[in-house]
Amino acid sequence: MPKIILAILSVFICFNMNAQSVGLVLSGGGAKGIAHIGVIKVLEENGIPIDYVAGTSIGAIIAGLYASGYSPDEMLELFSSDEFKLWSTGKLDKEDLYYFKRKDEGPAWIKLDITKKEDKLKIIFPINLIPERQMDFAFMQITAQTTAACNGDFNKLMVPFRCVSTDIYHNKAIIHKSGDVGEAIRASMTFPFVFKPIEKNGTLLFDGGIVNNFPTDIMKEEFNPDIIIGHKVTSLGEKYDTEDLFNQIESMVTQITNYNIPDSIGILLESKLDNVSLLDFPKVNYTYGRGVSTALNSIEKIKRTVTRRVSKDEVNKRREKFNGLKPPLKFNNIQVEGIKDDMQRKYIIQSFKRKENIIEVAQLRDSYFKLISDDHIKSIRPIAFYNKRTGFFDLHLKVEPRKPFDVEIGGLLSTQSNTFGFVQANYKTFKTLSYNLSANAYFGKFYNSFSIGGRMDSPSRNPFYISTRFTLNSWDYTATTSDIVFKDINPSYIIRNENSVKIEGGIPFIKTGIVDFGTSLSNSTDHYYQTNIFERGDEMDETRFSAFSAFARVDQKNYNYKQYATEGGRKLLSFRYIYGKETFTPGTTAPVSKIVEKTHSYFQIKAFYEQYFKINRVLKLGGMAEAVFNNNTLYSNYTSTVIAAPAFYPTPISRSKYIENFRANQYFALGGKAIFIISDYLHFRTELFGFAPIQNFQNTDNNLVSYEEGIFQHFYFSGMAALVFQTQLGPISAELNYFDKQGQSWFFALNLGFVLFNERAL
């Protein structure tokens, strides 16, 4: 009898050993959480079963992806990809920059929405550092098929899954066990001040780490596994960095979590990653490796505790079986939420309309980013619902329109004397068409401007826009000269004023291009001296030019930054016809005393090409070519002819310099760039350019002008070396520029901001 009892007991013990269940809990910790992938990799390779997963923040992302059928290798590949870098920074891929929707690029640092509450104007400051537009679409694309495969029940995923977010208003944990997998993960990882919270059922949801950064208790309550393996990557309370804002925010946010796992219920693994910050995702391979090391160091203990084994083949078969349940990601119905106006809803839906009834995800992506580029839309959260009846997904767009009024503030701070401030006010509204009215002002010693105008867009299947603009520009090159002496400078002083009215229209040309055309009326007035010998009371010579012009251009542009780009490129071909009247009025130092009037009728063709190429992780190269042909007749004197000629601006600082050697009616220019990547936002660049006028202007007697004999008689060089740090406000640069010219040739500058102006009349 005792032998029978012993045999039964042995069978019972073996059965329970074989039935031993394991739950894996993954903590939050930002980029440190990539170490979770290394832990999962080691567990799988050693046959340690993972029957349940739960996580918070980055732990929710890793646990959710694993439960969705992603292998550790696939997760590592995802986090190492260029796509993930865009999601984690909020930057748009250069191929997703819908150029047709973008307004003229200005020097704004920040945009602030303005609204009216209780009869008072209120400025709405940004509440998140990283835009959510990339991330929201990515989570929808990655998890929509998963949600369909489990029918919204997280117990029916490849591995049953739980994650935690925070109802910040009631300061309580929200446990996600059903619904949309992507929304649950997105809510759990919404770190305050970094990402925008999501609203669900009238509740704002933030990062789960605020209330529970290590959900072992939830794992126990929801699944009650025999063994819990927990992996902690946060080291809060052990080290604070007084100069790291994210470290301080992380410390404040995730303080009330219990990270202990008693030996009686499981094993605690911990990866020390003090040198990896909250958003330090570029260290993906290092962080993953630390997770592998952590798991390997404890694998014998884990094996002694977890006696059940699951082969890697068995796990892969289970993964393949679940992934086989995922329907193709195709859409055939679109609904808009958050917009009450029927006409505005129609405007949004029109942006997604296609000739085909079925929309592939690549087509949907194009339409999504086209609409995100629209200045009238603040955010779009796409959610996919699988329709079993049709076999396709329905897309629900949770849209938040922008406030009608906003103001942009920016400019340039420079050790050169071209510092200026910038402010722009915008009013926008949309129904079936969209309208944008704007007015801006520049103010500084060198450049002052005022511009006001409006634009109307049609979002139809064949979109187009029409715009009109009135602009006043003034450049005072006297203010920016830093030459030690004026001896070889001709002329010493130039002040340019112009006003113009422009009407134009355009249509998109592929995603990153535009075809536009229009007309303008303009008046320009140039004041200058034709001699270096003058007194304070002398009157300057004056040349006025009143003109009509018509233009057309094809422009394709997809730079990753407005200035100091490191990726993308531009291709431009433009044609302009100009007819106008020149009136020269001599001042008190002019070599002639009579007023001269001339009529000019000419055309100008410009071609421009620039492209950046990635050589390796550190080095990028860029090439540039520009050609201009202008058949304008010569003006009444040498100085006015040079001022009116097309100019080559190879570097940002050259836009605020008057350099005779880089002006000609016809020229070719070539350039090369070498960019050395130091980090995602810091780089060192060197640039070299050559400028070849086909025919140089020649200063003859009494400052009259003619062309030199022969072609390509001169060749001029320009170059720049700069250290550039791209910030959320704009670039900070330390640069040394060289221009092949008389007088001072070298210019050093420290800059914050953009050297971008309102468009010139011609």
Side-chain angles (χ1 to χ4, degrees), residues 535-740:
E535 297 179 358
R536 184 178 296 274
D538 284 330
E539 292 183 11
M540 303 176 80
D541 298 342
E542 177 186 277
T543 295
R544 292 181 178 272
F545 186 62
S546 300
F548 161 83
S549 75
F551 64 89
R553 66 170 179 160
V554 180
D555 192 6
Q556 182 186 356
K557 182 164 63 173
N558 62 347
Y559 295 121
N560 59 336
Y561 293 113
K562 287 192 285 189
Q563 285 194 325
Y564 306 107
T566 59
E567 296 177 7
R570 186 180 191 184
K571 303 178 184 71
L572 168 71
L573 180 63
S574 67
F575 174 88
R576 183 182 292 268
Y577 169 75
I578 301 103
Y579 177 86
K581 179 181 179 181
E582 171 203 357
T583 303
F584 168 68
T585 303
T588 54
T589 62
V592 296
S593 57
K594 65 177 182 178
I595 295 175
V596 178
E597 293 184 347
K598 294 182 69 174
T599 297
H600 297 265
S601 176
Y602 62 99
F603 64 86
Q604 177 176 300
I605 299 174
K606 179 177 181 178
F608 178 85
Y609 171 85
E610 184 173 33
Q611 191 67 45
Y612 291 92
F613 305 93
K614 182 178 180 180
I615 305 303
N616 53 44
R617 188 176 60 85
V618 175
L619 178 62
K620 295 182 180 181
L621 298 180
M624 186 226 69
E626 181 174 302
V628 170
F629 181 82
N630 177 320
N631 70 337
N632 192 10
T633 54
L634 299 173
Y635 274 53
S636 57
N637 61 68
Y638 174 83
T639 303
S640 60
T641 300
V642 176
I643 292 173
F648 176 55
Y649 301 112
T651 61
I653 198 174
S654 64
R655 296 172 179 266
S656 56
K657 299 292 180 186
Y658 176 83
I659 306 172
E660 286 188 16
N661 290 352
F662 291 84
R663 290 173 173 267
N665 278 343
Q666 304 95 25
Y667 66 80
F668 291 98
L670 293 172
K673 306 179 183 186
I675 300 169
F676 302 90
I677 304 300
I678 301 171
S679 71
D680 282 349
Y681 300 100
L682 181 66
H683 72 266
F684 177 76
R685 64 195 297 135
T686 57
E687 304 182 5
L688 180 64
F689 304 93
F691 177 82
I694 295 178
Q695 278 189 294
N696 253 33
F697 301 123
Q698 181 173 265
N699 195 349
T700 60
D701 294 339
N702 291 329
N703 206 45
L704 298 179
V705 61
S706 65
Y707 282 116
E708 287 184 355
E709 293 185 4
I711 60 174
F712 295 118
Q713 297 296 306
H714 301 272
F715 193 80
Y716 303 103
F717 288 98
S718 174
M720 181 184 76
L723 185 67
V724 181
F725 180 63
Q726 295 284 1
T727 73
Q728 293 290 327
L729 296 180
I732 299 174
S733 64
E735 59 183 72
L736 181 65
N737 282 262
Y738 170 79
F739 300 104
D740 190 354

Side-chain angles (χ1 to χ4, degrees), residues 306-335:
V306 181
T307 56
R308 174 175 154 236
R309 296 290 178 266
V310 176
S311 70
K312 196 171 180 181
D313 285 343
E314 186 178 341
V315 174
N316 287 334
K317 286 178 181 177
R318 183 168 42 144
R319 183 175 288 123
E320 290 174 8
K321 181 179 178 181
F322 179 77
N323 286 332
L325 299 175
K326 297 178 180 178
L329 191 57
K330 297 182 179 182
F331 302 81
N332 76 337
N333 185 32
I334 297 174
Q335 298 183 21

